[in-house]
Amino acid sequence: MSAALALDRSAQLYSRVRRVIPPIEWPAFSDDFDAILALKHERNAVVLAHNYMTPEIFHCVADIVGDSLALAREAQKVEADVIVMAGVHFMAETTKLLNPAKTVLIPDLRAGCSLASSITAADVRLLREKYPGRPVVTYVNTSADVKAESDICCTSGNAKKIVESLGVPEVIMIPDQYLAANVARETGVKIISWAGACEVHERFTARQIRALRAENPGVVVLAHPECPPDVVDEADFAGSTAAMSDYVTNRQPARVVLITECSMADNVAVLHPNIDFVRPCNLCPHMKRISLANIRGALETMQHEVTIDPAVAGRARRAVERMLAV
Ligand code: 13P
Ligand code: SF4
């Protein structure tokens, strides 16, 4: 590509994110943008990015973006040979479960999740022994091993619907104690939960939300259901990352705060220049392991490939597919 064309493309990309990335930081990304574009073409690859990716990934190199549910759904339709997951490990595993014949790469194997690491397959077997006959509803933020012990998966975007679809008075819902408590209140279903929590959302407090309201009159508060119930009580709306983004798009509040991971507000804010975003910042250290440089590295070296033991994959896939069928 000529230097003039490359400059033009860089300017076009920058216009998407200039509200949230200072001009001084931009030139450092150019090399990686050019390399990622060429490598995607060469490898017949696509990049799937979660809503918590930083804006230069989310708005400039991702082919498909969304919440966990949207990424799982879209992963089923991908035609490329290679899928790079710009997200955390459980998301890459879900993508691999739904695309066993494709190469799924995660740019940094350390991109984990406090919820996924809070529970093992053996823990689920013990829960089943302790509470026989209750269906196990497992949040997608878990390993394939844990999904394989489950009846059905859910995401924050469909948890209520999935629990209601079972039509039973009591379920085991793992591993997020707060999502479970929020869903129990919404559905009236009795929920046996697990002591896991998201290290990003559990840090928000009801007091903090009240202080945000006092400091920012008229602010509309949107919270993720991984937040503790008393935080959700203080919010105007609770929903998945995609539901929060849709709320902003459809309702156009004059001033809003997203009670969730930091980058989400950046990604939504660039699309709505007329809305005032109040930004408390809780970073997810796992999501932040993913960078333009390691997405490029993944495509150059074809690492790190996500593999799932076939003895586990079939059962785990069934739990994810049951969710997608609801
Ligand atoms: P969403 O499915 O709402 O995007 O949430 C995923 C996640 O990891 C939230 O912390
Ligand atoms: Fe896990 Fe929380 Fe990070 Fe989401 S934000 S990946 S739930 S630690």
Side-chain angles (χ1 to χ4, degrees):
M1 190 194 308
S2 76
L5 261 178
L7 265 178
D8 190 40
R9 199 180 61 210
S10 175
Q12 271 180 27
L13 287 178
Y14 189 56
S15 69
R16 297 183 193 172
V17 291
R18 69 188 157 77
R19 286 190 193 89
V20 288
I21 300 183
I24 196 161
E25 288 178 17
W26 188 250
F29 297 139
S30 310
D31 246 22
D32 289 331
F33 284 134
D34 294 341
I36 291 170
L37 196 72
L39 284 159
K40 281 205 288 190
H41 186 70
E42 189 184 315
R43 304 279 197 201
N44 189 22
V46 291
V47 176
L48 264 56
H50 184 260
N51 290 328
Y52 294 162
M53 288 295 104
T54 46
E56 72 282 4
I57 296 174
F58 188 88
H59 286 291
C60 302
V61 302
D63 300 285
I64 296 168
V65 294
D67 66 354
S68 306
L69 181 59
L71 292 180
R73 285 219 179 99
E74 293 302 320
Q76 283 183 304
K77 304 179 199 154
V78 167
E79 279 178 7
D81 298 318
V82 177
I83 304 173
V84 181
M85 174 50 74
V88 291
H89 195 264
F90 76 80
M91 295 178 175
E93 273 193 340
T94 306
T95 303
K96 180 68 182 175
L97 286 172
L98 296 170
N99 287 279
K102 295 189 195 298
T103 303
V104 176
L105 304 174
I106 178 118
D108 188 325
L109 277 173
R110 294 169 302 174
C113 169
S114 64
L115 282 167
S117 60
S118 73
I119 190 160
T120 65
D123 293 328
V124 187
R125 289 192 290 270
L126 281 174
L127 274 172
R128 277 200 192 274
E129 265 177 41
K130 193 166 169 198
Y131 303 102
R134 277 74 156 189
V136 176
V137 180
T138 295
Y139 196 29
V140 281
N141 297 36
T142 45
S143 66
D145 286 356
V146 166
K147 290 184 176 78
E149 300 296 330
S150 313
D151 294 297
I152 189 164
C153 286
C154 73
T155 71
S156 61
N158 63 13
K160 176 174 181 270
K161 199 169 164 187
I162 297 290
V163 167
E164 284 173 343
S165 77
L166 298 170
V168 293
E170 193 170 4
V171 304
I172 298 171
M173 187 174 186
I174 50 171
D176 187 343
Q177 59 185 301
Y178 298 128
L179 180 71
N182 288 320
V183 171
R185 296 188 320 167
E186 270 188 290
T187 58
V189 172
K190 186 165 176 224
I191 295 188
I192 298 153
S193 74
W194 186 251
C198 161
E199 67 189 86
V200 175
H201 293 95
E202 74 173 342
R203 278 189 283 144
F204 290 107
T205 63
R207 196 168 158 192
Q208 186 184 2
I209 310 299
R210 288 193 291 273
L212 279 168
R213 284 199 193 274
E215 285 157 21
N216 302 279
V219 71
V220 172
V221 180
L222 312 183
H224 196 278
E226 288 171 9
C227 293
D230 62 335
V231 172
V232 169
D233 282 344
E234 294 288 338
D236 297 295
F237 171 81
S240 74
T241 56
M244 285 191 260
S245 177
D246 290 347
Y247 184 105
V248 174
T249 304
N250 299 332
R251 311 274 284 264
Q252 295 285 307
R255 189 178 248 192
V256 69
V257 58
L258 308 183
I259 303 301
T260 190
E261 210 269 350
C262 279
S263 292
M264 170 90 193
D266 284 342
N267 291 330
V268 181
V270 299
L271 305 173
H272 303 285
N274 300 326
I275 298 179
D276 177 17
F277 283 78
V278 176
R279 302 183 192 207
C281 195
N282 282 3
L283 277 173
C284 172
H286 310 289
M287 290 281 181
K288 262 54 239 189
R289 293 264 183 209
I290 309 299
S291 64
L292 273 189
N294 61 24
I295 292 173
R296 173 184 181 168
L299 285 163
E300 278 169 351
T301 61
M302 296 298 282
Q303 280 182 346
H304 304 274
E305 186 170 353
V306 175
T307 55
I308 301 169
D309 178 351
V312 166
R315 289 180 293 131
R317 185 178 307 117
R318 195 190 51 192
V320 176
E321 284 177 345
R322 276 195 186 147
M323 166 186 85
L324 293 171
V326 171

